[in-house]
Each structure stands twice: as C-alpha cells, then as structure tokens.
Amino acid sequence: MPPVACSAVTESRREQFQTLRGMRDVLHPESARRRALVASFARQSELAGYREVVPPLVEDLGVFLRVGESTDVVTKEMYDFTDKDGSRIALRPEMTAGVMRTFVQHRPVLPWKVWYSGTNFRHERPQKGRYRMFDQIGVEALGVDDADLDVEVIALASRFFESLGLRQVRLLVNSLGDHDDRERYTEAVRVFLGSRLDDLSDAARATLERNPLRVLDSKRPEDQVVIVDAPLVADHLSEDSAAHYARVLAGLDALGISYEQTPRLVRGLDYYRRTTFEFAAEALDSAQNAIGGGGRYDGLAEAMGGPATDGIGFALGVDRILLACDAEGVFPASDTSIDAFVVDLVGGESARDLTHALRAAGISADRRFGGGSMKAQMKSADRSGARFAILVGEDELAAGELTLRPMLGIAADGEQRRVARDDLVVELTRSLTPTDTSSDQHRTNQ
Ligand code: HAM
C-alpha cells in the first residue's frame, strides 16, 4: 500500500482522534502518582536485593506461547501480528515469559532476583479495572527451591500494599502441587466435571475441553453449584509438595502476614506449580478485585529452552492498585507544586535568567511567557502552587535586588522581603529548608 500523504488526510477530514478502546491517557497529577507508586515499589524491591530488569515490550510470539497455549491470555487476548519481515511477534501480555527468555539468553548467576515495571497488552473486554493496555510491577526470583523464598516474595508484595496505606487486601494462597501432582489433580477435575457436564454453563463446557482447572475459576452461579463439590488439590499433593506448602504457611505465620487458604485458587496462566497466591482488594468490585498474583513456575525455564531452574514471582496491577487506593482514600497524588515563580515586570530577561539559575541550583522554578501585567503574572504564580514569587520590577532591577514574596505552604507565614540578586539561591534554599517531616516529604516529592 502506498504511504498516505499526511497533509492530504488532515486537509480532507480533520478527524479528531481518540484513544483506542481499553486504552487511556494518564495526565498529571495521576501520572505523578503512578511514578511515585513505581518508585516506592522499586525502593522496596531493591531493599530486598532485587535488581531491575527491562525486557523488550515485543517478543517472538513463541515466547508467550510457552506461558500456556490453553490460556485465554494467549489464545484469545494476545496482540500478535506478522512483522514486516514475515516473523510472528507479539506485544507482551505479561512480563514473566519475557523475563524467563532474558534469563535463558543471558544466564545470569543464580540466584537471580529481579524487579520490573512495564506496560502489557491484552485484548480483553474493557471495563473499570480491566484494560487492554495496563501496567504491572513485579518481581521474579530464580534458582532457589527454598520455601522461605516463597515467603520473602509474598511478604514483599504484602508489605508494599501496607506501605501504600491499603488495609482491605486479602491474601489468598494455595498449592497446585508439582508437575505430577498437578497432572493428577487436573485429571481428577476433568473426570469430575465430565460427570456433571449437563449442569455446567456452555462457557464452562468449552473451557473444560481446553483447561479443566480454569473451570474452577468460573463465577457463573450454575457452575458454582458444581464447583463446590469438585476434588480438592490438597488431596492430590505429594509429601514433598505438602511439606513445602506447610513451610510457606509457617513462614507467613511467623512474619504475621494473614492469609486465607483457598483450595480452589487457580491462576489464569499455565506455568504455575506448587505455591500460588493472589491479592484481592475488598474495596473493589469482585470481578476486578485481583490487584496482584503470582506463584512458582518451576518448569518454565526448561520450557523456554534453558536449564531446569526453580522460579517464583508475582505481578501487581498498577491501574487496579490505584483504583483500590481511591476506594480506600489512601495514597493521594503527591504535592508537585514548585518552589519559585518568577514575576518579571521589566522585559522578561530576568525571568529567563533567574529560572535557569534556580533550576541549576536544584530549586524548582517556573515563569509566565509573554509577560503580562503584575496581576496576570501573579495569577499564574498562584496557579503554579509556588511557595515563593520572585518579583522583578524597575526598582529591584536598578538596585540589583529582588522581592521575595511568600505564597504557600511553609512560606505562607513569612514576610515579603528584598534580597540581593546574588544572594537569591542561598536565601531561597534557606527559606525552603524543611523544618519538620511533612515539609521533608514535600521536598522529596519534587
Ligand atoms: P496475572 O494474574 O495475569 O499474572 O496479572 C497480574 C495482575 O495484573 C492482576 O492481578 C491484575 O491486577 C493485573 N491485570 C491483569 N490483566 C489486567 C487488565 N486487563 N487490566 C488491568 N489490570 C490487569 C501475571 O501476569 C503473572 N505474570 C504474574 C506472575 C509473575 N507470576 C509469576 N511471576
């Protein structure tokens, strides 16, 4: 197809574009809030010895097929397409598969503990809390079989929610057993559901063909009636798997992390073995209240063509966490007002030079372009939320001085005063220096 001439398109139609369905723009202050959330997660992960990994957003389609060819995420929801060279590629629907590809390709020293944040794409039916483009933060830890690592990983997520101020988050845990346990259990579920086919919904019958365990996730009332009698995974665990699970629960108890054992917790991806968990935000609608989930995936590295390597991790949904924070009234957008606003009443050169000098000294500063009256410029200063206005008039200019006018916050009680132009940075820094912890918070949020 020949390239479309942009000018021809804009001139003929002047179409107003909108975001695609299920995708959203994030504007200030929500963008700042997201950034603060990710920064906090990064800090807490680094504290626990996890280091950042940044895999590409696009991978060979095969990478994601290993996530599980019988899952909706892969079969129905993936944004896959043929690249210009004919190769089949896909936008990532989740991060674990890409991180495993990274591991197999680079073979870092074990144990390998990483954290990540990034955008994912799933072609789902959009609704509040369910988007086609959404962000995840998460960790993966490879090369350790120890149940205490499961405890560390779960504790990291749990502590993170707590640090945001979320109080209504339930931790659901289960063990799906090792590979053989899971096979045996899947067969038991298949046989059981097969015996109750007539009672199941059409959707559940279709799912049963592809992935019997996923039927246990159905929320439809007619399926629920059947599911309550389904076999329990606990009855199909080997001694080793049961011991591993018991140690995970003992670890959570020891750290004072409350959990609910949820024998029918089946996660939406195929790679899980043994420990699985999910975090449910009580304050959200039950259909979209999973704000994170994860578990062990001990066979995934091999499936990706690498050496047998144990692994566990989780991903948390940034969009849903923020909805949960809204619902609980916690983790508000941080204060992003600025330190100084230069009001230049003589030509604009002072505004140009002072904002530059202040920023170079680490003081956030802004100005109004195109001049304007004192009233107009002060209005802009007000709107910026600046703590100080720096006024430059004829008088000040002639005397080599400036007027420092306190506006907001820590500066609100101060008196307006004149300072020598050369002393401005020192004076401002002194005035802005926090005297208590709340203003300290303010400064770090810049
Ligand atoms: P997941 O359960 O598919 O697991 O996704 C994790 C979280 O991402 C969900 O709990 C939810 O908060 C968020 N999420 C998923 N889909 C959407 C969507 N369409 N819109 C908004 N948020 C969404 C995984 O992705 C695994 N990779 C987790 C993992 C890491 N397991 C081991 N390591």
Side-chain angles (χ1 to χ4, degrees):
M1 208 169 65
V4 182
C6 289
S7 57
V9 171
T10 44
E11 272 161 35
S12 64
R13 296 229 334 263
R14 295 212 184 279
E15 188 175 356
Q16 212 190 337
F17 295 107
Q18 303 282 322
T19 45
L20 298 175
R21 206 162 117 72
M23 306 199 180
R24 294 161 312 136
D25 297 313
V26 182
L27 278 72
H28 179 81
E30 191 60 13
S31 50
R33 192 174 175 223
R34 292 175 87 91
R35 187 154 37 88
L37 182 122
V38 174
S40 169
F41 180 73
R43 236 178 355 257
Q44 292 181 42
S45 302
E46 298 266 344
L47 265 179
Y50 292 73
R51 299 292 176 251
E52 187 176 20
V53 63
V54 187
L57 196 79
V58 186
E59 299 266 5
D60 191 297
L61 176 65
V63 170
F64 303 117
L65 295 182
R66 307 289 158 81
V67 169
E69 291 184 63
S70 55
T71 61
D72 285 356
V73 170
V74 170
T75 53
K76 294 191 189 155
E77 298 164 3
M78 199 139 67
Y79 279 85
D80 55 326
F81 50 92
T82 305
D83 203 357
K84 291 188 195 304
D85 63 2
S87 51
R88 296 285 290 153
I89 60 178
L91 303 184
R92 64 181 175 216
E94 58 105 57
M95 310 269 304
T96 311
V99 172
M100 290 309 282
R101 198 267 314 130
T102 306
F103 167 72
V104 171
Q105 185 173 335
H106 299 277
R107 303 286 171 92
V109 177
L110 294 172
W112 191 52
K113 303 206 303 183
V114 296
W115 71 268
Y116 51 76
S117 75
T119 301
N120 299 276
F121 297 84
R122 295 183 192 176
H123 201 276
E124 301 200 66
R125 187 168 339 144
Q127 49 194 294
K128 193 174 179 195
R130 187 175 298 281
Y131 310 107
R132 290 183 173 172
M133 177 176 162
F134 59 96
D135 285 354
Q136 284 184 342
I137 44 182
V139 303
E140 311 294 348
L142 303 185
V144 181
D145 184 30
D146 193 329
D148 284 356
L149 177 65
D150 305 29
V151 177
E152 171 179 300
V153 163
I154 295 173
L156 182 57
S158 173
R159 165 85 199 100
F160 176 63
F161 290 133
E162 218 177 279
S163 73
L164 297 175
L166 289 170
R167 293 287 169 268
Q168 299 168 43
V169 177
R170 285 162 55 216
L171 164 60
L172 315 176
V173 291
N174 191 18
S175 172
L176 291 175
D178 61 22
H179 176 267
D180 293 346
D181 303 341
R182 190 175 159 138
E183 295 273 294
R184 272 201 316 276
Y185 178 55
T186 306
E187 193 44 37
V189 171
R190 189 198 312 275
V191 169
F192 168 79
L193 294 175
S195 71
R196 301 281 300 271
L197 264 189
D198 292 345
D199 303 326
L200 290 174
S201 66
D202 288 348
R205 276 201 293 274
T207 308
L208 177 59
E209 297 261 305
R210 283 182 290 119
N211 194 341
L213 294 189
R214 285 300 284 167
V215 177
L216 303 182
D217 249 6
S218 169
K219 305 277 187 295
R220 291 188 175 76
E222 64 267 43
D223 297 334
Q224 287 281 324
V225 175
V226 178
I227 291 166
V228 284
D229 297 326
L232 291 176
V233 67
D235 299 331
H236 295 78
L237 294 186
S238 66
E239 221 170 276
D240 272 2
S241 298
H244 183 96
Y245 187 41
R247 186 160 171 86
V248 173
L249 299 184
L252 295 175
D253 287 335
L255 299 190
I257 297 170
S258 355
Y259 57 85
E260 290 165 38
Q261 289 194 60
T262 315
R264 296 196 206 289
L265 176 70
V266 186
R267 307 252 313 119
L269 298 155
D270 271 352
Y271 48 61
Y272 292 108
R273 305 278 178 270
R274 297 195 278 177
T275 314
T276 49
F277 54 93
E278 211 158 88
F279 292 92
E282 287 297 274
L284 295 182
D285 222 36
S286 69
Q288 271 74 242
N289 73 354
I291 52 173
R296 279 204 166 263
Y297 42 80
D298 296 335
L300 191 55
E302 281 168 286
M304 211 63 92
T309 313
D310 297 303
I312 181 168
F314 63 71
L316 315 179
V318 170
D319 309 80
R320 288 190 194 171
I321 295 173
L322 289 171
L323 286 174
C325 288
D326 289 340
E328 288 199 39
V330 298
F331 196 66
S334 51
D335 175 6
T336 50
S337 52
I338 56 164
D339 295 326
F341 195 97
V342 180
V343 174
D344 184 343
L345 302 164
V346 262
E349 284 85 358
S350 295
R352 178 193 63 202
D353 302 347
L354 281 175
T355 46
H356 182 73
L358 290 171
R359 291 165 189 167
I363 295 171
S364 57
D366 209 351
R367 56 167 297 186
R368 180 184 152 114
F369 288 92
S373 65
M374 168 94 166
K375 192 171 162 202
Q377 291 195 48
M378 283 308 292
K379 202 166 164 191
S380 302
D382 259 342
R383 202 176 300 139
S384 76
R387 278 167 285 281
F388 285 94
I390 297 166
L391 313 180
V392 193
E394 296 284 359
D395 246 25
E396 283 92 343
L397 204 56
E401 292 181 342
L402 307 152
T403 296
L404 211 55
R405 177 181 292 183
M407 305 274 290
L408 267 182
I410 53 170
D413 302 331
E415 293 280 306
Q416 173 166 314
R417 64 188 191 280
R418 291 275 278 253
V419 298
R421 189 178 169 123
D422 290 347
D423 297 339
L424 178 65
V425 168
V426 174
E427 280 291 322
L428 257 182
T429 306
R430 188 177 308 140
S431 305
L432 289 162
T433 301
T435 49
D436 62 19
T437 47
S438 59
S439 40
D440 192 25
Q441 180 64 34
H442 154 79
R443 297 286 294 159
T444 54
N445 284 341
Q446 295 303 297

